[in-house]
Amino acid sequence: MNNSFSQNERNLSPYYSRIESGNLPVIVGHKLNNDDIIRQYVIEQLMCNFYLSYENFEKKFQIPFFTYFPSIVDSLHAFKNEGLLILNDDGI
């Protein structure tokens, strides 16, 4: 919601108490900065679609993926070599 992250109460009793008293059960809130938004997008694409398109990333954020994440290239290739992911010119 509006570039923010929130976490609900973890335990059911306090969760329901907050709801029943007309309050939201949110216990933590955080306003996302640009880096948070970029990383959230990458994680969401991989978790929800099992794919990250470099082209879509670059269109959305106006920066090449590996320019923004230069330190992960070696790790991605290591995971590829172990057969844990598919890495090609189009995405992950």
Side-chain angles (χ1 to χ4, degrees):
M1 287 185 353
N2 295 329
N3 296 330
S4 67
F5 168 82
S6 59
Q7 179 181 349
N8 286 343
E9 173 64 58
R10 293 182 202 113
N11 299 308
L12 287 179
S13 181
Y15 177 91
Y16 288 127
S17 293
R18 288 176 186 242
I19 296 288
E20 290 166 359
S21 67
N23 296 308
L24 293 174
V26 175
I27 58 170
V28 174
H30 176 71
K31 182 167 175 27
L32 303 178
N33 63 33
N34 283 340
D35 183 60
D36 295 329
I37 293 166
I38 290 170
R39 291 173 187 278
Q40 179 185 49
Y41 174 82
V42 170
I43 292 166
E44 180 181 290
Q45 293 302 303
L46 292 171
M47 289 183 67
C48 296
N49 301 321
F50 303 109
Y51 181 72
L52 172 70
S53 163
Y54 301 141
E55 180 181 359
N56 291 346
F57 176 90
E58 291 168 10
K59 282 181 183 176
K60 183 169 182 70
F61 298 108
Q62 300 297 305
I63 187 166
F65 180 79
F66 287 109
T67 297
Y68 194 80
F69 295 106
S71 64
I72 68 166
V73 175
D74 291 339
S75 296
L76 288 176
H77 284 288
F79 289 133
K80 177 184 177 183
N81 293 340
E82 291 293 323
L84 298 172
L85 61 81
I86 297 170
L87 181 65
N88 58 41
D89 292 339
D90 299 324
I92 302 169

